[in-house]
């Protein structure tokens, strides 16, 4: 009988617990709905009044008025922004960039083409309605200075949320100048802070999920540092900008490729290749391929030369012994200041190699390429470079190097 009473008591306690839990969940959900409703009204009212800024695109000096959002309201921010109607976008086919480390063997040779990455064209007219935007950002505003080490520690704890290039900036005290904060060696104190993330790279654009993760990082820092914040655009707008930037990348991510192959089975001698390429101004770089340095220090090479035998590299300690059946010359158009001049120099080097080492230039049908074929590639490169400038970006400029490297 006592056991029966104990069982009934346990059942009663379980039922009571379920009732209490359901009641609590119902009240909690109602509170969340009310909080979201209040925040939605406040957010939309402020959105209509605010002047959007270009913060973190090029000029972090642009002043932003603080957005007063308390801790409870922060919880509703992502829901409010992600409820905005998302823009429709066309699916863009991905054509991967050739990998120098996996150059084809004799039986699997790459074809000498100008690789344009995508057939869908974005004209200058299509981009003229809005400036090409590279970054999505947020500013954290506060009166109290933040120690650089503390800031970097908090940032590092949440950096895993980002899978695109990103940077942390601050208005350093006492001079008040905006500076990129070195996360490996932070120094000094900062007043206003700014975070930016690149909207697209070679792996594609930021999608809704990636933008939401970035917003989470901003919200966490805002709460930890007790600072007000403002994003440079709404999430829906940022996603549309990311798609536009991704299409731009695909149109202009262009590689010009030429091949020089040996006429005899013995192939080219490594020490003759090394001697000839050094006389043409090329050096064996860190990637173990030959590179022609750019005239401007710190810029990517004008063009590179790889071994046609996998994995496409040269062993500096074996150049006296190796032989190869061919060389691949390639140039990434967006990374050079004068693409036509760079390609002309590359083509001239290819012709010197063919003449000196008794090889031949081949086209995509593995037939010898003519002067007319070289000029046709040059014309195509010139047109693409002009279109890129018309779209608002200079080949070989700092923005182009950021996007296409």
């Amino acid at each position: 009988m006592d056991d029966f009473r104990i069982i009934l008591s346990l059942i009663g306690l379980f039922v009571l617990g379920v009732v209490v839990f359901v009641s609590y969940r119902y009240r909690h959900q109602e509170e969340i709905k009310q909080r979201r409703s209040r925040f939605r009204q406040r957010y939309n009212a402020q959105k209509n009044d605010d002047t959007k800024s270009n913060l973190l695109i090029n000029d972090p000096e642009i002043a932003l008025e603080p957005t007063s959002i308390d801790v409870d309201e922060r919880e509703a921010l992502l829901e409010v922004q992600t409820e905005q109607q998302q823009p429709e976008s066309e699916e863009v086919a991905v054509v991967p960039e050739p990998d120098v480390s996996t150059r084809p063997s004799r039986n699997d040779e790459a074809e000498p083409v100008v690789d344009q990455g995508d057939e869908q064209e974005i004209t200058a007219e299509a981009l003229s309605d809005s400036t090409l935007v590279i970054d999505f950002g947020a500013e954290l505003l506060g009166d109290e200075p933040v120690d650089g080490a503390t800031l970097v520690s908090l940032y590092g704890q949440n950096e895993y949320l980002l899978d695109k290039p990103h940077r942390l900036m601050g208005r350093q005290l006492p001079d008040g100048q905006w500076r990129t904060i070195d996360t490996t060696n932070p120094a000094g104190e900062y007043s206003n802070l700014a975070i930016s993330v690149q909207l697209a790279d070679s792996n594609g654009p930021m999608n809704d999920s990636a933008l939401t993760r970035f917003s989470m990082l901003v919200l966490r820092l805002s709460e930890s540092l007790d600072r007000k914040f403002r994003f440079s655009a709404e999430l829906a707008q940022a996603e549309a900008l990311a798609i536009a930037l991704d299409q731009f990348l695909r149109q202009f991510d262009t590689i010009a490729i030429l091949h020089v192959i040996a006429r005899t089975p013995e192939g080219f001698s490594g020490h003759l290749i090394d001697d000839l390429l050094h006389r043409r101004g090329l050096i064996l770089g860190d990637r173990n391929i030959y590179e022609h340095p750019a005239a401007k220090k710190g810029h990517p090479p004008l063009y590179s030369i790889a071994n046609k035998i996998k994995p496409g590299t040269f062993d500096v300690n074996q150049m006296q012994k190796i032989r190869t059946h061919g060389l691949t010359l390639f140039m990434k158009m967006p990374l050079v200041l004068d693409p036509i001049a760079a390609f002309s120099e590359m083509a001239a080097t290819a012709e010197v190699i063919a003449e000196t080492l008794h090889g031949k230039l081949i086209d995509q049908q593995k037939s010898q390429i003519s002067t007319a074929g070289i000029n046709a590639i040059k014309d195509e490169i010139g047109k693409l470079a002009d279109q890129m400038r018309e779209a608002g970006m200079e080949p070989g400029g700092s923005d182009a190097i950021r996007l296409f490297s």
Side-chain angles (χ1 to χ4, degrees):
M1 190 68 179
D2 290 339
D3 291 342
F4 182 71
R5 289 195 185 97
I6 291 173
I7 292 172
L8 287 177
S9 298
L10 291 174
I11 293 173
L13 289 173
F14 176 76
V15 172
L16 179 61
V18 170
V19 171
V20 171
F21 176 76
V22 171
S23 176
Y24 168 78
R25 289 289 296 173
Y26 175 78
R27 290 197 304 272
H28 183 65
Q29 291 297 327
E30 288 298 312
E31 289 175 1
I32 290 176
K33 288 179 182 179
Q34 293 175 8
R35 187 164 61 232
R36 288 178 178 174
S37 178
R38 291 195 306 270
F39 179 75
R40 187 178 288 105
Q41 293 173 2
R42 181 176 179 181
Y43 178 82
N44 288 333
Q46 176 183 286
K47 178 184 65 175
N48 294 331
D49 293 337
D50 286 345
T51 300
K52 298 301 178 184
S53 102
N54 262 346
L55 177 69
L56 302 177
I57 296 169
N58 289 309
D59 186 8
E61 292 287 347
I62 298 174
L64 297 177
E65 294 298 325
T67 303
S68 300
I69 302 178
D70 60 34
V71 174
D72 291 335
E73 287 172 330
R74 286 192 189 106
E75 297 176 3
L77 174 61
L78 296 182
E79 286 83 354
V80 172
Q81 285 200 330
T82 54
E83 283 175 5
Q84 305 292 330
Q85 183 177 359
Q86 300 300 312
E88 297 182 357
S89 61
E90 297 182 0
E91 184 177 351
V92 181
V94 178
V95 178
E97 174 185 334
D99 187 348
V100 174
S101 65
T102 57
R103 286 294 169 185
S105 65
R106 179 184 294 270
N107 295 324
D108 186 23
E109 296 181 346
E111 297 178 341
V113 296
V114 175
D115 182 1
Q116 295 186 27
D118 185 67
E119 294 180 357
Q120 180 176 351
E121 180 177 346
I122 304 171
T123 64
E125 289 77 17
L127 292 171
S128 62
D129 292 337
S130 61
T131 303
L132 192 66
V133 178
I134 298 176
D135 299 307
F136 176 51
E139 190 175 22
L140 301 171
L141 305 177
D143 297 327
E144 295 297 324
V146 180
D147 176 70
T150 300
L151 175 61
V152 167
S153 176
L154 289 171
Y155 189 68
Q157 294 172 22
N158 297 280
E159 195 175 6
Y160 71 91
L161 293 167
L162 306 179
D163 58 4
K164 299 291 186 199
H166 51 90
R167 58 178 173 167
L168 175 66
M169 297 193 300
R171 194 186 288 274
Q172 192 169 19
L173 300 174
D175 62 9
Q177 295 296 312
W178 281 97
R179 292 185 174 90
T180 299
I181 298 173
D182 184 355
T183 56
T184 62
N185 185 28
E189 293 183 323
Y190 302 86
S191 55
N192 293 346
L193 307 170
I195 309 167
S196 71
V197 62
Q198 191 170 300
L199 285 167
D201 61 12
S202 59
N203 294 317
M206 290 188 76
N207 56 20
D208 177 71
S209 176
L211 291 165
T212 300
R213 291 196 302 271
F214 176 76
S215 300
M216 288 172 59
L217 181 149
V218 173
L219 295 174
R220 290 179 184 179
L221 291 182
S222 171
E223 184 173 14
S224 298
L225 299 172
D226 191 24
R227 286 178 172 244
K228 301 167 185 177
F229 64 91
R230 174 176 288 178
F231 294 106
S232 59
E234 296 179 19
L235 293 185
Q237 294 171 330
E239 188 172 9
L241 292 170
I243 292 170
L245 184 62
D246 179 62
Q247 292 175 340
F248 176 86
L249 280 165
R250 294 184 190 284
Q251 180 182 351
F252 296 108
D253 195 5
T254 303
I255 299 177
I257 303 172
L258 296 173
H259 300 288
V260 183
I261 62 171
R263 294 180 181 273
T264 63
E266 291 77 14
F268 300 145
S269 166
H271 78 274
L272 292 179
I273 292 172
D274 186 66
D275 179 66
L276 175 59
L277 296 187
H278 275 97
R279 285 189 280 116
R280 294 291 300 178
L282 288 95
I283 59 174
L284 196 55
D286 296 336
R287 296 186 294 167
N288 291 325
I289 61 175
Y290 286 92
E291 297 175 339
H292 192 297
K296 197 169 184 179
K297 187 177 180 180
H299 276 229
L302 293 183
Y303 63 93
S304 304
I305 301 180
N307 192 342
K308 283 188 69 64
I309 297 177
K310 290 181 179 180
T313 56
F314 298 95
D315 187 342
V316 65
N317 297 315
Q318 300 294 323
M319 291 304 293
Q320 298 298 317
K321 301 178 181 178
I322 68 168
R323 304 192 75 86
T324 181
H325 71 273
L327 303 171
T328 297
L329 297 83
F330 60 98
M331 180 202 79
K332 197 160 185 178
M333 186 277 289
L335 297 182
V336 295
L337 288 169
D338 190 340
I340 293 179
F343 178 76
S344 298
E345 173 65 21
M346 185 179 85
T349 296
E351 290 170 347
V352 170
I353 293 172
E355 181 179 351
T356 306
L357 302 183
H358 307 291
K360 64 177 179 179
L361 283 171
I362 58 172
D363 61 16
Q364 56 189 2
Q365 284 80 35
K366 297 182 175 62
S367 300
Q368 191 164 355
I369 190 168
S370 64
T371 301
I374 294 291
N375 290 334
I377 298 175
K378 189 185 303 184
D379 290 342
E380 189 175 356
I381 290 172
K383 290 176 182 177
L384 285 169
D386 289 341
Q387 290 173 6
M388 187 171 170
R389 294 186 185 99
E390 291 171 3
M393 187 172 294
E394 184 68 27
S398 58
D399 286 339
I401 291 173
R402 278 184 61 197
L403 288 174
F404 293 96
S405 293

